[in-house]
């Protein structure tokens, strides 16, 4: 078992997601230093953290960094940490372009440091159970998968409405399910997307829905929907995955766990029933797994290449929305849309 005693973590950022990360690090017994343009003192006072006066000061004092800043800043902060020789955990999306994500991966490899994107949905028990079932062949070859994700819109305030800074609803919210679709159904060959209402002059509507259809190399088709709803819209995620011999279903609004429906002969032994989702925080599971890997243990279930791939799919979806065309991923060049 990898020893996690004496962890010293540098948290960069003090917004909403920082609270969840801090709770996980405290549960792991880590010493946490925080640096942020705004809110560092308040976060430190609330949780008993130490404040670093500058990013350089933080980088000099910690074992690795956990970046929870707004999306548009991820590239520069991560690159600074890599240049300082620090391993990095970075909230999703890793960057706002696949080219920038690959630049960070190359820089990390050259510096001999690790880079992990925080795609936390991979650590939710229902999604991990679905992955395990698909990989074990329990529902046969996947034919159709559906993913949905909705939340009360954050776009009425802050930087979210500026698509250049947030990537819009696809890059900010749907990126979770783009990663899930690729994880569960395999590599993607084509992408088609629509958004209603459309963004105008680079500004996202406050309330907006995006629909994306992916065709996977193995023949599966996945449909994804992401919605920034009106104030008070409950957070909800769902998936439905249909294969040749069964189906997998999950809804966060209705289920405490996971449901599996199998045709006769589709399964041997008991049905798969994972741990209740009211158990350990997936953020704690995720950050522990990253910390173990950074201390020399097994690699985590998500890596920098996965983070870059999710960003690449989000870029393709945005290009499809803008052009009205299906994007062929074999020829898609984000810099020039579709060739």
């Amino acid at each position: 078992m990898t020893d996690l005693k004496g962890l010293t973590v540098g948290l960069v950022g003090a917004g909403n997601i920082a609270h969840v990360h801090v709770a996980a690090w405290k549960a792991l017994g880590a010493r946490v230093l925080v640096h942020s343009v705004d809110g560092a003192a308040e976060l430190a006072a609330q949780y008993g953290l130490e404040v670093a006066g500058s990013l350089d000061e933080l980088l000099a004092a910690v074992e690795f960094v956990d970046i929870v800043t707004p999306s548009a800043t991820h590239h520069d902060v991560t690159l600074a940490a890599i240049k300082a020789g620090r391993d990095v955990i970075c909230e999703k999306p890793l960057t706002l372009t696949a080219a920038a994500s690959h630049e960070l991966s190359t820089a990390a490899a050259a510096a001999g440091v690790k880079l992990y994107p925080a795609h936390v949905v991979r650590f939710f028990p229902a999604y991990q159970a679905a992955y395990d079932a698909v990989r074990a062949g329990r529902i046969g070859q996947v034919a159709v998968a559906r993913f949905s994700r909705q939340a009360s819109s954050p776009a009425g305030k802050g930087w979210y409405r500026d698509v250049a800074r947030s990537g819009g609803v696809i890059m900010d919210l749907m990126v979770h399910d783009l990663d899930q679709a690729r994880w569960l159904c395999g590599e993607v060959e084509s992408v088609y997307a629509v958004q209603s209402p459309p963004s105008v002059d680079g500004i996202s509507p406050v309330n907006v829905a995006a629909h994306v259809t992916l065709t996977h190399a193995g023949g599966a088709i996945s449909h994804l929907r992401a919605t920034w709803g009106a104030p008070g819209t409950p957070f909800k995620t769902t998936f439905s995955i249909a294969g040749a011999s069964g189906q997998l279903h999950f809804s966060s609004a209705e289920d405490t766990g996971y449901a599996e429906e199998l045709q006769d002969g589709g399964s041997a032994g008991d049905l798969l029933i994972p741990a209740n989702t009211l158990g350990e925080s997936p953020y704690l599971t995720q950050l522990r797994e990253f910390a173990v890997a950074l201390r020399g243990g097994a690699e985590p279930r998500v890596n920098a290449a996965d983070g870059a791939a999710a960003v690449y799919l989000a870029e393709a979806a945005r290009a499809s929305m803008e052009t009205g065309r299906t994007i062929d991923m074999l020829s898609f060049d984000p810099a020039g849309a579709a060739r």
Side-chain angles (χ1 to χ4, degrees):
M1 182 177 293
T2 303
D3 185 4
L4 295 182
K5 292 180 180 178
L7 287 174
T8 302
V9 180
L11 186 73
V12 186
N16 289 338
I17 196 65
H19 294 263
V20 182
H21 282 238
V22 168
W25 290 125
K26 297 291 281 186
L28 293 173
R31 173 191 172 209
V32 181
L33 283 73
V34 59
H35 171 71
S36 181
V37 173
D38 297 303
E42 293 80 1
L43 190 74
Q46 183 174 350
Y47 294 100
L49 315 180
E50 301 171 48
V51 176
S54 68
L55 180 59
D56 287 342
E57 179 184 329
L58 179 138
L59 293 173
V62 302
E63 183 177 346
F64 55 86
V65 297
D66 181 7
I67 298 170
V68 292
T69 56
S71 301
T73 67
H74 288 178
H75 172 271
D76 290 352
V77 177
T78 299
L79 191 59
I82 289 170
K83 289 180 177 179
R86 295 293 177 263
D87 296 314
V88 178
I89 298 165
C90 182
E91 257 300 334
K92 63 78 203 166
L94 183 56
T95 64
L96 292 179
T97 69
S101 293
H102 288 305
E103 178 191 347
L104 293 181
S105 295
T106 300
V113 300
K114 300 286 189 179
L115 172 60
Y116 298 135
H119 278 276
V120 72
V121 177
R122 291 198 183 200
F123 298 83
F124 276 71
Y127 290 85
Q128 177 65 53
Y131 174 84
D132 291 342
V134 169
R135 288 296 175 271
R138 298 190 66 166
I139 64 169
Q141 183 173 350
V142 175
V144 178
R146 298 181 184 276
F147 302 88
S148 74
R149 189 166 298 268
Q150 69 175 39
S152 180
S153 177
K157 59 182 180 179
W159 47 273
Y160 289 95
R161 292 192 68 193
D162 185 347
V163 176
R165 297 175 66 195
S166 72
V169 69
I170 286 180
M171 188 73 77
D172 184 74
L173 185 62
M174 187 187 282
V175 72
H176 284 298
D177 289 319
L178 289 169
D179 177 62
Q180 284 300 306
R182 175 176 169 268
W183 196 42
L184 289 161
C185 303
E187 297 298 336
V188 176
E189 292 187 338
S190 69
V191 177
Y192 179 74
V194 294
Q195 177 182 298
S196 180
S199 299
V200 177
D201 296 331
I203 301 300
S204 171
V206 173
N207 305 131
V208 61
H211 297 260
V212 173
T213 299
L214 308 177
T215 302
H216 298 266
I221 296 174
S222 57
H223 304 274
L224 294 74
R225 183 181 79 246
T227 305
W228 278 342
T233 298
F235 183 80
K236 178 183 176 182
T237 71
T238 71
F239 65 72
S240 177
I241 305 167
S245 56
Q247 300 182 52
L248 312 173
H249 301 283
F250 171 75
S251 169
S252 63
E254 301 168 3
D255 301 330
T256 57
Y258 171 91
E260 183 175 84
E261 299 175 6
L262 296 162
Q263 297 176 6
D264 290 343
S267 175
D270 296 334
L271 292 181
L272 178 63
I273 303 176
N276 192 306
T277 54
L278 299 179
E280 178 175 283
S281 162
Y283 290 91
L284 173 55
T285 308
Q286 171 187 240
L287 294 179
R288 181 195 293 113
E289 193 166 303
F290 287 158
V292 166
L294 295 175
R295 281 283 178 95
E299 283 296 290
R301 69 194 76 174
V302 61
N303 58 35
D306 296 318
V311 170
Y312 188 45
L313 291 174
E315 284 189 281
R318 287 178 55 190
S320 177
M321 288 191 315
E322 292 165 4
T323 64
R325 299 168 56 188
T326 297
I327 302 300
D328 180 354
M329 297 305 292
L330 296 178
S331 59
F332 176 57
D333 175 8
R339 292 186 300 205

